[in-house]
Amino acid sequence: QLQLVESGGGLVQPGGSLRLSCAASGFTLDRYSIGWFRQAPGKEREGVSCMSRFDITRKYADSVKGRFTISRDNAGNTVILQMDSLKPEDTAVYYCAASYSYMCTIIDYKGAYEHWGQGTQVTVSS
């Protein structure tokens, strides 16, 4: 069974850092495009970052550009989202998603990604 599991969320002060992991079981992540999305209370889910198959393309939302970095740990069959200089507005549940498409997207539309994790809570607060 194909499964994605996020980890690494938690409570952090503004300006701090968190490292989110997206671990896959049942399939090999480096053959998939991966996206990170987030949903804050009362808001629609939005795309944060993505990485295409074979790492041809990496994309970031304007709101996180220069602060977040997406990468792969192929040995661990994991995708990492390093989040630095966190702000209160980054507070949300963060989800990773996988698609067999060659290209990735941070646009959230039905069918963009076939597999989703359950999410991990990130809270940025003093």
Side-chain angles (χ1 to χ4, degrees):
Q1 184 175 356
L2 307 182
Q3 189 174 12
L4 292 171
V5 178
E6 303 94 338
S7 62
L11 173 64
V12 64
Q13 292 186 341
S17 298
L18 283 174
R19 181 181 170 93
L20 303 186
S21 295
C22 173
S25 60
F27 63 109
T28 305
L29 265 185
D30 64 359
R31 298 179 183 178
Y32 285 74
S33 290
I34 303 299
W36 281 97
F37 293 79
R38 66 186 182 186
Q39 187 166 23
K43 294 188 177 181
E44 292 189 353
R45 191 170 62 191
E46 63 175 353
V48 174
S49 180
C50 72
M51 175 185 293
S52 66
R53 288 177 75 181
F54 311 116
D55 199 13
I56 296 172
T57 305
R58 300 185 189 190
K59 300 178 183 176
Y60 297 92
D62 288 342
S63 59
V64 306
K65 211 169 283 184
R67 301 188 296 121
F68 289 12
T69 304
I70 190 170
S71 62
R72 290 185 190 268
D73 174 5
N74 289 332
N77 202 26
T78 300
V79 172
I80 305 297
L81 185 68
Q82 178 66 40
M83 306 189 297
D84 298 318
S85 302
L86 283 162
K87 304 176 181 179
E89 51 263 43
D90 295 318
T91 296
V93 177
Y94 283 71
Y95 302 89
C96 66
S99 170
Y100 204 63
S101 298
Y102 276 92
M103 300 306 296
C104 72
T105 180
I106 55 173
I107 299 173
D108 192 3
Y109 64 90
K110 187 177 181 180
Y113 290 87
E114 297 94 73
H115 310 289
W116 289 82
Q118 293 300 306
T120 185
Q121 176 70 47
V122 171
T123 303
V124 184
S125 175
S126 55

